[in-house]
Amino acid sequence: MAEAIVLEWVLPGATTAVVTAVAGPPGQAVWGTFTGVLADQADLQAALDGRLAVSAVGVTVQGYSAELATVAGLAPSNDDIIQRKAGAWTRRTPVQFKTDLALVKGDVGLGNVENTALSAWGGSANLATVGTVTAGTWTAGAIAPAYGGTGLTSYAVGDLIYASGAATLARLADVATGNVLVSGGIGAAPAWGKVGLASHVSGTLPVANGGTGQTTAGAALNALLPAQAGAGGKFLTSDGTNPAWGTPVTGWGTITGTLSAQADLQTALDAKLAVAGGLMTGALGVVAGAVGTPGIYASGDPNTGLWFPAADTMAASAGGQEAWRIDSLARVGVNMTTLAAQFSVQSNGAARVASIIKGAGSQSANMTEWQASNGTLLAAIDAGGHMSINKAVPSSSVILNIAGASNERVDTTGNAYGIQVGLTNQLSGNLIAMQFQAESRYSGAGVTLVGVQGICSVNSGAASTANLMIGFQAQSPILNSGATVTAAYGVRIDAQNTTGVGSAWALYAGGANDNSYLAHSLLIGQTSVPASLKGGLVLGNAAAIPTGNVAGGTVYVEAGALKYRGSSGTVTVLAVA
């Protein structure tokens, strides 16, 4: 770009000047040589007036520059910065300029930071100038009270902070409900406690604030009662909402005559139950009570009486312990609280009888009975201790009678049995009979099982008597254990259909140190007897072959062969199959 240089010549006293314009900017005209005075050149004079005299700026004049002209035309505001950005000059605010710089902490360097105390910084007196901390975790120690902290690191719900010293704070732990914070006095720590009406409260609380406004009992009563002026001789009454003074009704005065003559007084007395005697015509309701504090008790004995443990249930206590109860199903329990039967009794001591039923001196009726729902007698015990089961009336000659109707058992001599079990109307077919008198067939029999004669146990040691007999027919026992039967048998099994005791026998064992005898064949492990065999030994094959040894030996049959195993385990074949 061509530059224009303007030259001015001042000729003292001259009225004319010659100005020659040399190469100017492209597109501008070139004056060439002009004549006359300067004032005649109006446009030149105006251009000169807009220029600074060379004498004012020195001899060096800056030439025209389009970039300088651009800078001059930016018109920045106060504190703005002229910045060349993207190949052009522009003005930027300080915030914009800071953003354009995009500085990080590494660009600053610790050496460029002034080491000045926080208190010397402007604005340190007002922390609000720092701004609001919205994130982060405090990792240093507790801030001391001198720096605005508490010096404490933990709290419990309900704790209060108080000054425990000139430069320290402390926690006052919470306490039970109903306590208040009470001052300990100047220079002392506060504490939780109760308000002492005598020591902490002063002044008199007026009636409007729930007090009496008075300091003495009499004055306080007068302050709360209706006005007493003119109320002499009256009595305090109430209309159900407010108290008032009432005038007494004219009284009886002096009562004369009998009580019945005083109709109103007599009516009032009649409505009350006499302290001694009298009849209560209405229901009496009492508290339910408990086992140790019954609802109904005698004066001076509050732990013995009646109480009601549940709906429709009544119980009695003795000495604070439950004695009996009746529940809603009419079940009665003595010393029992859980009732499963209509009547339940539990002894309260191992040496105590649980239940006693005692008859009268001349008891004629049964002591106790068990009946069906229709009243039919199922069992009974009479006054003599005789018991019957399934029999209408206990028999005085039978201790226990379990039988059907009309089933008394009497032997051929008329002796009644103590206990009998039989079938209805089977007088000669009793199953079991116990007797205390001798039967005609076996004297002194204690137990007889009759088939016609199934078992007979006799307790006599005389000849032809036995302690235990088992037979199928009279006078023909199968098993007879006696004392002195013929050869004094210990155990005797007689043959069936023999005549007379001891006439024939199947097996008997004699007395001490005597031999035992077997009259016929003996079968072991076998039920079939070979034809025509009598007095032999029949062995069946062993169900399991012996593998162990005994002190003597073992004889057995294996696959039809007779074998013997000795005490050392040696097996010998005695006879082949």
Side-chain angles (χ1 to χ4, degrees):
M1 177 182 292
E3 296 181 358
I5 301 176
V6 180
L7 301 177
E8 180 182 5
W9 285 270
V10 180
L11 301 177
T15 57
T16 60
V18 179
V19 178
T20 300
V22 297
Q28 295 183 3
V30 178
W31 290 319
T33 301
F34 63 86
T35 60
V37 296
L38 182 59
D40 293 337
Q41 316 301 325
D43 55 350
L44 178 57
Q45 185 63 52
L48 290 174
D49 292 340
R51 296 287 188 268
L52 186 63
V54 174
S55 59
V57 298
V59 297
T60 302
V61 178
Q62 173 67 45
Y64 173 78
S65 171
E67 291 194 16
L68 291 178
T70 299
V71 171
L74 292 177
S77 299
N78 293 337
D79 300 325
D80 280 357
I81 299 170
I82 303 300
Q83 177 185 3
R84 188 169 181 82
K85 186 175 180 67
W89 292 101
T90 182
R91 64 184 181 86
R92 307 287 282 172
T93 64
V95 174
Q96 292 173 326
F97 183 65
K98 178 181 177 183
T99 302
D100 292 339
L101 291 178
L103 295 175
V104 296
K105 60 183 181 180
D107 298 328
V108 179
L110 186 60
N112 297 321
V113 178
E114 182 180 2
N115 185 14
T116 305
L118 179 64
S119 58
W121 289 11
S124 62
N126 183 5
L127 292 178
T129 60
V130 177
T132 301
V133 178
T134 59
T137 300
W138 181 263
T139 59
I143 300 176
Y147 298 100
T150 63
L152 304 174
T153 58
S154 63
Y155 305 92
V157 175
D159 286 353
L160 295 180
I161 306 301
Y162 69 96
S164 57
T168 57
L169 297 177
R171 293 183 294 108
L172 180 61
D174 200 0
V175 295
T177 302
N179 289 275
V180 298
L181 191 64
V182 180
S183 172
I186 299 175
W192 295 105
K194 304 294 184 182
V195 175
L197 296 180
S199 58
H200 295 156
V201 178
S202 60
T204 302
L205 192 63
V207 174
N209 297 104
T212 64
Q214 306 297 323
T215 58
T216 65
L221 180 62
N222 291 333
L224 297 178
L225 290 173
Q228 298 194 47
K234 296 184 177 182
F235 64 91
L236 190 64
T237 184
S238 174
D239 60 3
T241 303
N242 299 305
W245 296 111
T247 302
V249 178
T250 302
W252 292 308
T254 302
I255 297 177
T256 59
T258 62
L259 179 62
S260 59
Q262 320 301 323
D264 54 349
L265 178 58
Q266 184 65 54
T267 301
L269 291 175
D270 291 342
K272 305 297 182 181
L273 183 66
V275 175
L279 175 65
M280 175 177 261
T281 58
L284 174 64
V286 298
V287 296
V291 65
T293 55
I296 302 175
Y297 62 89
S299 177
D301 191 7
N303 64 355
T304 299
L306 298 178
W307 58 289
F308 307 89
D312 303 322
T313 301
M314 180 174 67
S317 292
Q321 301 294 323
E322 181 171 331
W324 56 261
R325 71 167 53 195
I326 303 175
D327 68 7
S328 58
L329 299 177
R331 295 178 298 192
V332 179
V334 178
N335 195 35
M336 296 181 68
T337 58
T338 301
L339 308 182
Q342 208 63 36
F343 185 75
S344 304
V345 179
Q346 178 178 339
S347 173
N348 63 357
R352 294 186 177 94
V353 178
S355 176
I356 295 176
I357 299 177
K358 189 174 183 180
S362 57
Q363 182 79 22
S364 60
N366 290 333
M367 294 292 295
T368 185
E369 293 183 354
W370 291 264
Q371 298 180 359
S373 59
N374 61 0
T376 301
L377 184 65
L378 300 178
I381 300 176
D382 66 10
H386 306 95
M387 182 176 183
S388 68
I389 298 177
N390 198 28
K391 184 167 174 44
V393 179
S395 172
S396 60
S397 61
V398 179
I399 295 176
L400 173 61
N401 191 342
I402 305 174
S406 302
N407 192 20
E408 293 289 346
R409 175 67 171 102
V410 180
D411 66 10
T412 56
T413 62
N415 297 317
Y417 295 95
I419 298 176
Q420 72 175 29
V421 176
L423 302 176
T424 303
N425 298 322
Q426 297 295 319
L427 299 180
S428 61
N430 292 311
L431 298 179
I432 297 177
M434 291 186 181
Q435 65 179 30
F436 298 101
Q437 296 178 9
E439 187 183 355
S440 60
R441 285 164 292 177
Y442 305 104
S443 61
V447 176
T448 300
L449 177 60
V450 181
V452 180
Q453 187 67 39
I455 297 178
C456 177
S457 174
V458 296
N459 47 26
S460 172
S464 299
T465 61
N467 290 324
L468 176 62
M469 287 186 178
I470 300 177
F472 294 105
Q473 293 182 1
Q475 299 180 357
S476 58
I478 298 299
L479 174 62
N480 183 345
S481 174
T484 58
V485 179
T486 308
Y489 304 108
V491 175
R492 172 171 171 165
I493 299 177
D494 285 344
Q496 186 176 0
N497 296 325
T498 60
T499 302
V501 177
S503 61
W505 47 265
L507 169 67
Y508 74 84
N513 301 319
D514 205 345
N515 296 321
S516 297
Y517 302 90
L518 182 64
H520 299 288
S521 299
L522 175 63
L523 282 68
I524 300 177
Q526 181 61 270
T527 59
S528 298
V529 181
S532 301
L533 175 65
K534 291 184 181 297
L537 174 63
V538 181
L539 300 177
N541 288 323
I545 304 305
T547 57
N549 303 323
V550 296
T554 304
V555 177
Y556 61 94
V557 175
E558 180 180 0
L562 181 62
K563 298 182 179 183
Y564 171 79
R565 182 184 180 93
S567 59
S568 62
T570 302
V571 177
T572 303
V573 178
L574 301 178
V576 297

